Amino acid sequence: MILAKLSYLILLITLVISWLTFPNRRGVLRLLPVYITLVFALEMLAYWLMKHKRHNMEVYDIMSVLEFSFYSLLYYYATGQRYTRVLIGILAGLFLLSLVLFYGNIYRYTFYNIISTFLSILFMVIMAVNYLAEVLRSDNIISFNENPMMWISIGLLLYLSCSAFLVTSNYFKIVYAHHNLVHSVVTFISVCCLYTCMTMALLCKRR
């Protein structure tokens, strides 16, 4: 429970910094404060439902859609390559198709949209890796102080690696020693990595 509260605190600090640095952003990066605010609100809703012993998986399904939509938009406008935009469009179409299939046919059997969740993790990994590869192939000097998208990509990859572990173990009901503690630690590490990197991105020079 302490780690969970620390995770919320890290998210809240990032939220405050995102609004304080809002004037320094331009383009699609100006959506960062709005996105983080929505994530924080959904996390608080999920926490409230959990405290009242009610199902909160639907909240995390919404979170999955929000995450994928935001990062797809972010990478779509961050890239300068036409093929990357086409790739993101295809991935977005496949993700949308998975949502249609789930809520059209599968939702009656289970509340957990595992298909779209796995696809969102896989597709966001592809987008982040593709962006980092694009930057490394460019002739521009890599500067962590001037490219917030690099920080976001690194944080996202670390976050998604932890998320994949949590989603897999939860769905297949994998039980191991100190199960709850391991989940709490992995969740905290994922949140810490993502929002620490996002804070660094927010503190980058105007972009």
Side-chain angles (χ1 to χ4, degrees), residues 23-61:
N24 297 329
R25 304 274 74 82
R26 67 180 180 181
V28 72
L29 285 173
R30 289 177 71 86
L31 293 176
L32 269 173
V34 179
Y35 167 72
I36 298 171
T37 301
L38 290 174
V39 170
F40 184 76
L42 288 172
E43 287 287 0
M44 292 299 98
L45 176 59
Y47 178 76
W48 183 86
L49 290 172
M50 182 190 69
K51 291 292 288 185
H52 289 79
K53 302 186 185 305
R54 298 171 63 180
H55 290 291
N56 61 5
M57 291 311 303
E58 291 89 347
V59 177
Y60 287 106
D61 282 344

Side-chain angles (χ1 to χ4, degrees), residues 10 17 24 36 38-39 53 56 60 73 79 81 88 106 114-115 120 141-142 155 165 168 184 188-190 192 200 204:
I10 292 171
I17 293 174
N24 297 329
I36 298 171
L38 290 174
V39 170
K53 302 186 185 305
N56 61 5
Y60 287 106
L73 187 66
T79 183
Q81 301 293 329
I88 293 173
I106 306 173
I114 187 66
I115 299 174
S120 69
I141 298 176
I142 298 174
F165 165 78
T168 303
S184 296
F188 175 74
I189 291 173
S190 68
C192 188
M200 297 303 296
C204 284

Side-chain angles (χ1 to χ4, degrees), residues 145-176:
N145 190 40
E146 297 180 355
N147 191 342
M149 286 301 299
M150 290 193 65
W151 284 108
I152 292 173
S153 298
I154 293 170
L156 185 62
L157 286 174
L158 294 172
Y159 169 76
L160 292 173
S161 63
C162 295
S163 295
F165 165 78
L166 293 173
V167 169
T168 303
S169 61
N170 284 337
Y171 183 74
F172 293 105
K173 295 181 172 59
I174 300 173
V175 180
Y176 33 78

Side-chain angles (χ1 to χ4, degrees), residues 45-163:
L45 176 59
Y47 178 76
W48 183 86
L49 290 172
M50 182 190 69
K51 291 292 288 185
H52 289 79
K53 302 186 185 305
R54 298 171 63 180
H55 290 291
N56 61 5
M57 291 311 303
E58 291 89 347
V59 177
Y60 287 106
D61 282 344
I62 295 172
M63 185 91 74
S64 178
V65 174
L66 175 65
E67 284 180 345
F68 182 81
S69 301
F70 174 74
Y71 287 111
S72 296
L73 187 66
L74 204 61
Y75 284 112
Y76 183 86
Y77 285 103
T79 183
Q81 301 293 329
R82 185 174 181 275
Y83 82 90
T84 300
R85 293 189 171 185
V86 172
L87 173 64
I88 293 173
I90 293 172
L91 297 180
L94 292 174
F95 180 73
L96 179 60
L97 180 61
S98 74
L99 292 176
V100 172
L101 290 174
F102 177 79
Y103 289 107
N105 299 284
I106 306 173
Y107 184 71
R108 70 190 73 172
Y109 305 112
T110 177
F111 291 111
Y112 189 27
N113 189 359
I114 187 66
I115 299 174
S116 298
T117 300
F118 268 124
L119 286 179
S120 69
I121 291 173
L122 174 62
F123 292 167
M124 285 190 289
V125 166
I126 292 173
M127 288 187 283
V129 170
N130 182 76
Y131 177 80
L132 290 174
E134 182 181 316
V135 171
L136 290 172
R137 287 196 302 264
S138 69
D139 296 328
N140 297 326
I141 298 176
I142 298 174
S143 175
F144 283 87
N145 190 40
E146 297 180 355
N147 191 342
M149 286 301 299
M150 290 193 65
W151 284 108
I152 292 173
S153 298
I154 293 170
L156 185 62
L157 286 174
L158 294 172
Y159 169 76
L160 292 173
S161 63
C162 295
S163 295

